[in-house]
Amino acid sequence: MGDKKSLGLGEFDLIAKYFAPLSVGCEGALSLLDDGAVLDIPEDESLVVSTDCMTEGIHFLEGTAGKHVATRVLGANLSDLAAMGATPRWIFLSLQLPKNTPKNTNEYWEDWLDDFSTALGSGLDKFGVSLAGGDTVTTLGPLAVTITALGSVKKGSALKRSGAEVGDEIWVSGTLGDAQLGLEILQMGDDAPNDKNSNFLITRHHTPEPRVELGKMLAQIGVVNACIDISDGLVADMSHICEASNVTAEIQLSNIPLSSAAKVLLDYDPTRVHKAAFGGGDDYELLFCLSPENSEQLNLLKSKTPFCKIGKIGTISEKSQNKGHAVKIVDPKGENVVVESGGWDHLK
Ligand code: ADP
Ligand code: MG
């Protein structure tokens, strides 16, 4: 089904031109010329697989450059593998390209694919990952890009959401809320400020940094009880750990890490910054729990991860009888902060 010729280049020419180069070095990808890929992992490892789909108008603004779509969808996928402690190895890429509209010509799509595949290639190189296959179709709907990422982890050491225990410390990497603040700046269109801090926040939205090295180290030290990546917002993702582990969480407002760009905004619009830090999606930082007895191991790890700071933000508590929110944020006076945004849920 589908008129595959409507993008100018035929499907197979398109794959050969833009995508086969990203499979070079991966023998099992069979140059993207066969019906499937043939992939091996070491015998003592488990395969970890995750998939994420992003659509134009929902996950990224209409007309977003190909390079930004590539880094975001790749970042989201590799972040899921990082949250499991896996080493990423291969991705599969499915593209649903809108049939030509008067606005978007064949040339438009060829330029878009060039930009997209170049950025995807750099992202793959950076993490030592190969493109091993995919599918390319046209659609009457909006552009949609799906990546399935495959990685591997030593048997029995994958990080999960379900093991947080009462008394555990809650830790987070990087800074929170930047991607959401960056999106809000982009949404201002022509009125968007163009200064160093705004550009930093926009970059955090366009170019998430999946915490692959950190995730691998957390799996290796073997004392992390639960881990998740923050793709839906701190409160929503912390709630996922709480539900899976049957516990609650108390987070100290003053410990929530903010970038210096977000701190500048905090001075004159604290509500907006807090909302972004609690509920903004797409930061792709790692949120994880471990017993205070083992936190010394994290201090050692800190010196080995100069590429990404980590800090303690709260504690895991028992689940209370009266059903309140699973996640509490407490200000320096000990008072509960009202959490307006519970994060991103597509079906709500
Ligand atoms: P089939 O019809 O047997 O499903 P396709 O014609 O869809 O195979 O794809 C041919 C080859 O090209 C396969 O190896 C597939 O994995 C690869 N491929 C198709 N689209 C992409 C893409 N967007 N990125 C990477 N590989 C792709
Ligand atoms: Mg196919």
Side-chain angles (χ1 to χ4, degrees):
M1 286 270 297
D3 173 6
K4 289 172 172 168
K5 298 283 182 236
S6 68
L7 281 165
L9 278 180
E11 180 188 8
F12 303 109
D13 296 334
L14 183 152
I15 295 163
K17 180 170 178 189
Y18 299 108
F19 298 117
L22 310 191
S23 74
V24 170
C26 173
E27 221 176 293
L30 306 171
S31 308
L32 306 187
L33 290 171
D34 219 310
D35 290 308
V38 183
L39 307 170
D40 295 315
I41 57 164
E43 235 168 59
D44 59 343
E45 295 189 5
S46 301
L47 192 63
V48 180
V49 188
S50 176
T51 194
D52 255 303
C53 174
M54 289 195 182
T55 49
E56 184 163 29
I58 303 281
H59 299 87
F60 50 89
L61 302 174
E62 268 176 53
T64 298
K67 64 178 175 197
H68 296 319
V69 175
T71 36
R72 286 199 59 228
V73 68
L74 180 65
N77 272 275
L78 297 187
S79 176
D80 281 328
L81 293 188
M84 306 295 294
T87 300
R89 296 186 180 278
W90 306 282
I91 64 156
F92 287 74
L93 168 71
S94 291
L95 284 175
Q96 288 176 265
L97 300 170
K99 280 191 175 232
N100 297 332
T101 60
K103 202 173 90 194
N104 299 341
T105 58
N106 289 342
E107 290 71 37
Y108 173 89
W109 283 113
E110 291 196 20
D111 285 349
W112 193 92
L113 283 167
D114 193 32
D115 194 34
F116 175 87
S117 58
T118 304
L120 186 66
S122 329
L124 293 176
D125 281 350
K126 181 170 166 190
F127 292 101
V129 176
S130 299
L131 179 62
D135 203 9
T136 309
V137 297
T138 51
T139 174
L140 297 177
L143 170 68
V145 182
T146 305
I147 286 183
T148 301
L150 289 81
S152 64
V153 67
K154 282 268 178 290
K155 280 193 175 145
S157 69
L159 304 172
K160 300 192 189 109
R161 298 178 178 185
S162 53
E165 289 177 6
V166 174
D168 275 2
E169 295 181 349
I170 303 166
W171 288 65
V172 75
S173 65
T175 54
L176 301 184
D178 297 329
Q180 171 65 29
L181 294 169
L183 173 62
E184 288 170 16
I185 293 169
L186 282 173
Q187 283 168 331
M188 292 163 78
D190 291 343
D191 296 332
N194 180 12
D195 55 81
K196 196 170 133 247
N197 287 335
S198 305
N199 292 335
F200 167 84
L201 296 170
I202 290 172
T203 305
R204 287 275 286 160
H205 170 76
H206 279 322
T207 325
E209 193 53 54
R211 302 302 186 185
V212 170
E213 281 309 310
L214 176 64
K216 280 160 61 175
M217 287 187 188
L218 293 178
Q220 274 163 19
I221 59 176
V223 294
V224 170
N225 290 337
C227 183
I228 193 168
D229 68 315
I230 303 187
S231 54
D232 295 332
L234 172 65
V235 172
D237 288 311
M238 188 70 243
S239 305
H240 294 322
I241 287 189
C242 289
E243 267 160 45
S245 307
N246 209 23
V247 292
T248 60
E250 187 172 305
I251 292 172
Q252 313 302 319
L253 178 66
S254 54
N255 289 348
I256 295 178
L258 297 177
S259 64
S260 48
K263 280 184 190 154
V264 170
L265 291 177
L266 187 68
D267 284 343
Y268 62 94
D269 197 348
T271 310
R272 178 168 155 218
V273 175
H274 285 153
K275 215 171 152 182
F278 303 161
D282 294 349
D283 283 318
Y284 299 110
E285 297 297 347
L286 294 184
L287 179 66
F288 50 98
C289 306
L290 81 174
S291 157
E293 283 167 32
N294 294 320
S295 63
E296 188 48 36
Q297 302 220 31
L298 280 189
N299 288 328
L300 284 177
L301 198 148
K302 266 185 178 174
S303 58
K304 290 192 202 154
T305 56
F307 45 85
C308 144
K309 73 182 183 85
I310 51 175
K312 186 188 154 187
I313 59 166
T315 318
I316 294 290
S317 314
E318 270 171 35
K319 200 167 177 174
S320 60
Q321 299 296 348
N322 44 348
K323 274 194 162 178
H325 289 293
V327 181
K328 250 190 341 190
I329 296 185
V330 182
D331 72 13
K333 287 184 208 137
E335 283 172 24
N336 282 358
V337 177
V338 179
V339 177
E340 277 184 50
S341 171
W344 181 244
D345 180 335
H346 279 280
L347 304 182
K348 279 188 181 159

